[in-house]
Amino acid sequence: MKQRLVLVGGGHAHLSVLEALARKPVPGVEVTLITPSAWQNYSGMLPGWIAGHYALDNSRIDLRPLAAAAGARLILDSVVGMDAGRHCVGLTDGRHVHYDLLSLDVGSETATSWLQALGPALLPVKPLDPFFDRWPHELAQARAKGTFRLVVVGAGAAGVELALAAQHALQQAGVQARVDLVASENGVLAGHHPRVQQRVLAYARRAGLHLHMQRAVGAEGGVLLADGRFLPADLVIAATGARAPVWLSMSGLALDPAGYVLVDSHQRSSSHPDVFAAGDVCARPGSALSRSGVHAVHAGPVLARNLMAALAGGPLHTYSPKPNALYLLACGPRYAIASWGVWSAQGRWVWRWKDWIDRRFIRRFAPGRWPIQPRGDGSSA
């Protein structure tokens, strides 16, 4: 019987797996990709898309031709349950998909428990697909109204970029807008070098962002700061950190205290050797990596090699994360700030550098790069 390789999620790491399968198909393996959308909206280009620098089709990857090139069956659905003991995952439509080897690259969700009172005024940045769907409608309403109050809660890299991008988009649309960026008491870009933080703070103030270094909770019509001030808002974007998908808690996999899949240096589950994971969904003991797409991109080729090795019974490779990840922070206009350990820089040239990297990534997975592979059932994917 054929071995069943099931890929759950169309994230950055699984792009490398599909690419590897397209370049070198593995005989005797039935590949299935389960993902809720036929498109991967690329998080690296989200700020540029919000700011109006990219069209939607230029900032996303069509998974259908890539799956076809890899000889994979594509199931457009979400996983809502898993039983590692029975080697299967459950879908929203009630189906169960069984596997011999499973790989998880489903990302994370936005933790919004303190903001739920906002109701429909709340827009989490993750999952990305609903955000991409909703932002154009919010911008259109702001343009029609002529005024807009936006609050972004969370001042990590995503929160900073989103606040600056949204402010630029609202200004370009002729909207009289106020944008508030709410950080915790840890400040802006916690974990980055103080020089980077200084650059970002100085730029944000010049751009006219209103900064608040304290915690906030959602309330009807806006957010309430820890000092008692109320920030009215037409929309609150939550970039408040990540949480693990809830269904993992019942999966039977070994998880860390936050609910993420514990993996070893090979990206393999510490409790189930037939399960691998990469990207935001996993955690490694003794490592405090930020939940960034950078790590998923870098882990992808190693994950691909290890899945192929596991299918063939070969030795596994080790993924060694770099101690410092390069961040190129978009600032609204075609301007960016670079952060890499103790080194930082800023300017239009940094934006051009980021733009070149992002466009190259999209081109790497463009349709037509690989011939369509026949699936194990004799048909094409």
Side-chain angles (χ1 to χ4, degrees), residues 18-151:
L18 293 170
E19 181 183 44
L21 289 167
R23 293 186 184 280
K24 189 176 181 181
V26 181
V29 176
E30 178 184 277
V31 183
T32 300
L33 172 64
I34 304 171
T35 185
S37 172
W39 300 90
Q40 188 209 99
N41 290 306
Y42 180 42
S43 59
M45 298 178 85
L46 173 61
W49 173 76
I50 291 173
H53 305 316
Y54 303 118
L56 180 59
D57 285 345
N58 300 133
S59 53
R60 62 182 185 174
I61 295 167
D62 190 346
L63 296 173
R64 290 165 295 190
L66 186 56
R73 177 172 60 127
L74 180 61
I75 298 177
L76 296 180
D77 204 342
S78 296
V79 167
V80 294
M82 176 181 175
D83 188 334
R86 295 176 56 205
H87 311 281
C88 70
V89 294
L91 309 182
T92 59
D93 64 5
R95 284 182 292 170
H96 290 81
V97 179
H98 289 79
Y99 62 84
D100 297 301
L101 189 64
L102 178 72
S103 182
L104 301 173
D105 185 21
V106 294
S108 59
E109 300 170 357
T110 304
T112 59
S113 58
W114 290 94
L115 300 171
Q116 289 299 320
L118 286 159
L122 177 63
L123 176 57
V125 65
K126 291 183 178 180
L128 281 176
D129 289 350
F131 189 97
F132 269 87
D133 289 340
R134 184 170 162 188
W135 172 252
H137 299 288
E138 296 291 343
L139 183 59
Q141 289 182 8
R143 185 183 290 111
K145 184 179 177 182
T147 62
F148 201 71
R149 294 287 302 259
L150 172 65
V151 176

Side-chain angles (χ1 to χ4, degrees), residues 227-268:
D227 65 3
R229 283 182 293 163
F230 181 74
L231 300 178
D234 298 294
L235 179 69
V236 175
I237 294 178
T240 44
R243 71 175 184 189
V246 175
W247 54 266
L248 284 173
S249 63
M250 301 297 289
S251 65
L253 297 173
L255 308 175
D256 78 347
Y260 295 99
V261 180
L262 280 172
V263 297
D264 60 17
S265 62
H266 309 300
Q267 301 301 130
R268 182 171 55 182

Side-chain angles (χ1 to χ4, degrees), residues 121-356:
L122 177 63
L123 176 57
V125 65
K126 291 183 178 180
L128 281 176
D129 289 350
F131 189 97
F132 269 87
D133 289 340
R134 184 170 162 188
W135 172 252
H137 299 288
E138 296 291 343
L139 183 59
Q141 289 182 8
R143 185 183 290 111
K145 184 179 177 182
T147 62
F148 201 71
R149 294 287 302 259
L150 172 65
V151 176
V152 178
V153 180
V160 168
E161 289 189 299
L162 290 172
L164 291 170
Q167 183 183 57
H168 180 75
L170 291 164
Q171 290 173 344
Q172 293 298 110
V175 177
Q176 295 295 317
R178 174 186 168 109
V179 180
D180 290 88
L181 177 61
V182 179
S184 70
E185 60 273 14
N186 294 325
V188 172
L189 289 178
H192 288 253
H193 192 270
R195 180 56 180 153
V196 177
Q197 296 171 350
Q198 293 166 9
R199 287 181 185 272
V200 169
L201 285 171
Y203 186 92
R205 292 187 176 111
R206 290 197 304 271
L209 281 186
H210 299 266
L211 301 171
H212 309 276
M213 307 299 183
Q214 53 188 297
R215 294 191 179 275
V217 296
E220 184 177 353
V223 299
L224 183 64
L225 300 179
D227 65 3
R229 283 182 293 163
F230 181 74
L231 300 178
D234 298 294
L235 179 69
V236 175
I237 294 178
T240 44
R243 71 175 184 189
V246 175
W247 54 266
L248 284 173
S249 63
M250 301 297 289
S251 65
L253 297 173
L255 308 175
D256 78 347
Y260 295 99
V261 180
L262 280 172
V263 297
D264 60 17
S265 62
H266 309 300
Q267 301 301 130
R268 182 171 55 182
S269 165
S270 61
S271 61
H272 291 75
D274 57 354
V275 177
F276 287 73
D280 283 4
V281 74
C282 68
R284 287 171 65 165
S287 176
L289 293 177
S290 61
R291 302 204 173 277
S292 165
V294 173
H295 297 298
V297 170
H298 290 164
V302 177
L303 175 67
R305 288 196 294 270
N306 284 344
L307 290 174
M308 304 308 109
L311 289 167
L316 302 182
H317 298 260
T318 296
Y319 171 57
S320 300
K322 297 179 181 179
N324 295 313
L326 174 65
Y327 289 83
L328 301 176
L329 305 170
C331 295
R334 288 181 169 86
Y335 192 96
I337 297 173
S339 171
W340 187 50
V342 300
W343 177 81
S344 65
Q346 65 188 85
R348 295 186 179 277
W349 70 271
V350 180
W351 164 265
R352 291 194 293 271
W353 183 18
K354 174 177 171 56
D355 177 66
W356 177 79

